[in-house]
Amino acid sequence: MGSSSRSHKRQKVDHVDDSTAEIVAEQSEESLKSHPHPTTESSMIHHDQGEFKNITRHKTTAEQGETLENGPINPFTGNKFTDRYFSILKTRRDLPVHYQRQEFLNIFHSSQIMVFVGETGSGKTTQIPQFVLYDEIPHLINKQVACTQPRRVAAMSVAARVADELDVKLGEEVGYSIRFENKTSPKTILKYMTDGMLLREAMEDHNLNKYSCIILDEAHERTLATDILMGLIKQVSKRRKDLKIIIMSATLDAEKFQNYFNDAPLLAVPGRTHPVEIYYTPEYQKDYLDAAIRTVLQIHATEPEGDILLFLTGEEEIEDACKKISLEGDELVREQGCGQVKVYPLYGSLPPHQQQKIFEPAPTSNNPNRPGRKVVISTNIAETSLTIDGIVYVVDPGFSKQKVYNPRVRVESLLVSPISKASAQQRAGRAGRTRPGKCFRLYTEEAFRKELIEQSYPEILRSNLSSTVLELKKLGIDDLVHFDFMDPPAPETMMRALEELNYLQCLNDDGDLTSLGRLASQFPLDPILAVMLIGSSGFECSEEILTIVAMLSVPNVFVRPISARKRADEAKMQFAQPDGDHLTLINVYEAFLEDHGDLSPHQWCRENFLSYRSLTSAKNVRNQLYRLMEKYDLPIVSNYGEIPDAKYWENIKKALIGGFFMQVAKKKSNNKNYLTIKDNQDVMIHPSTILSKEGEWVIYNEFVLTSKNYIRTCTIVKPEWLVEIAPKYYNLDHFQKGDVKLSLERVISKVESKRNSK
């Protein structure tokens, strides 16, 4: 990307006034004679031949930038602008942010770091990076502009939109980079990316030298990666005075960002909003999902024209609501003559082509009193990351899924939790984008005033930090205690992370990164999965562990619709490997790759109650991880068919223990429940788990907190393997007295006597 080996090229832009000529750099008369119509890349002039002047960071005016935008030639490609470009340009010029372009440039030129607050719908995510592009023309100085997003969906959809606005092909001058997908090229000058991907780049290049400007968008969401990036970029800004930094937020909690970045200047731009009426329920709703569906249908039956946005917490809930609203909407069409309803889901793991459907127009209706309507059902992605025009009604049940980590019992869970007041206000604001709107809050006004917190807690205060600590160590930050976090995490959480990484042998006893830790940090995975994958060749099953890791990295592959639960469970048992779920995942993936005769892979998945989307995603993830293993010369082997079946599965289980040795539970002697090792949490095996018999010792992938404590995705293991593979963790001095310790003492003495007899 912008590598120095490539000759950067630039052509003359016609119809530019004298003041702009400084930016665009005039060509000599001879060049013009030889290239009268410089519209192809081959006709551009090499600036390294001395034919350009003033190739430095330019200080342009808004007027100069607009002159370039209005010109016939695209300054980034050398081609003529299309007619479509000019029609989109009119829309862009109507955005609120456009009217403060000069004010933005004044602050941008006079300071290294600035804070930009733009309400949702102001156009900040799409326009600010373009203002910077037209100001810097970064390809002339062999640089790029980066704009980070907390969510993959936003990075992909915004990149596509901006590519259209700049009249370039997505993946060329404008691209995106997300986990397991990189749509950029050597031509890329504007890169939208998840904050996690920029963090990964910083591990390799501590000064982020390829960028002239870094824009951290949606900073108010305070994801884990955003918080680390802010601390990191603050450090980089001291070493690189030429690096420009823009912190963008949708809420007016800007003072905190300004203070953190040494009193950085602030520019606030209002959104294009209309008044929104807020309605509360008179009493508490027992079933918010049912209340939400009823509210949507009532709006459709009684309210004037306008689309509806409903906020729910996750994929299953959203898909369930989509089906119910579609069915009942069809009934309203038949029975009451209502207009047609089109329902669209929106959540992070939805494929890009399906996400784009939310921008389709509402169905038309012949009866103006009975309008056709679009209903978008979304997670909190639609709160700030995406703007959907046409939304007039918002239904807000007041919940979202939040990650919560308890360091004492090492449990990280996604829990449905009440939203904050700031989120509630963001949601309501979505209704007033195109005209006055209405927001229906499915909770009482008293609950809003007294029970909702002002702002959501930053993710760094409620996450397992083992990946974070590994990233910081790889970034060369050894003094974690004094790292400049905006909100420092609890010391106990940090200690747990250091302890976990030490057991995984990613950090030595002095807290320094080991060679295994350095290698593990190259994989975009949780350290547990990365270490397991790296060690799998020692058990001659890296092909199988690759498959398991890929399957664990995507949403659940098993589909269990309410209407066909029994059939779905029977279908799942066809793939079952009696000793557990991790092994069953291999069978599912291998079956998916087989030839299914007349059935397409899509149909085969439907018949077997499997998610085609998740399996396709797993295949993509596996390919990427495979390439990473090749890159770092890790052997990719399998002994399938070469050894007895029992030994084959045993090797895979041992390789799994290489990562999951801290996530082990032992069956209690007096009942069916299990106890987690060390933490002594009373847990049950999740009903979705495939185990033909109840093993005494199991490893598990996740600990789920619902009405009970469940462990999910489990596989039976032998305790002697635990002691052999992770002797440091199974040092009995670290265990409390009790059933687990007694059992382990027996296991260890048995292992030792066997060893001695040899």
Side-chain angles (χ1 to χ4, degrees), residues 68-118:
L68 285 178
E69 288 172 342
N70 294 333
I73 302 293
N74 187 328
F76 306 113
T77 63
N79 300 324
K80 282 190 173 180
F81 281 127
T82 60
D83 292 339
R84 184 163 179 263
Y85 163 81
F86 289 107
S87 68
I88 295 175
L89 185 60
K90 277 184 190 161
T91 314
R92 286 173 53 204
R93 296 266 166 92
D94 282 341
L95 289 166
V97 72
H98 175 74
Y99 301 104
Q100 283 173 272
R101 183 171 186 167
Q102 187 57 57
E103 205 179 332
F104 163 76
L105 287 171
N106 292 344
I107 298 175
F108 182 67
H109 294 149
S110 60
S111 54
Q112 186 182 6
I113 305 176
M114 70 178 286
V115 178
F116 185 98
V117 174

Side-chain angles (χ1 to χ4, degrees), residues 314-328:
E315 181 180 340
E316 282 180 32
E317 217 172 62
I318 288 170
E319 292 290 4
D320 186 27
C322 281
K323 283 186 193 130
K324 287 180 177 169
I325 291 171
S326 293
L327 285 170
E328 297 197 33

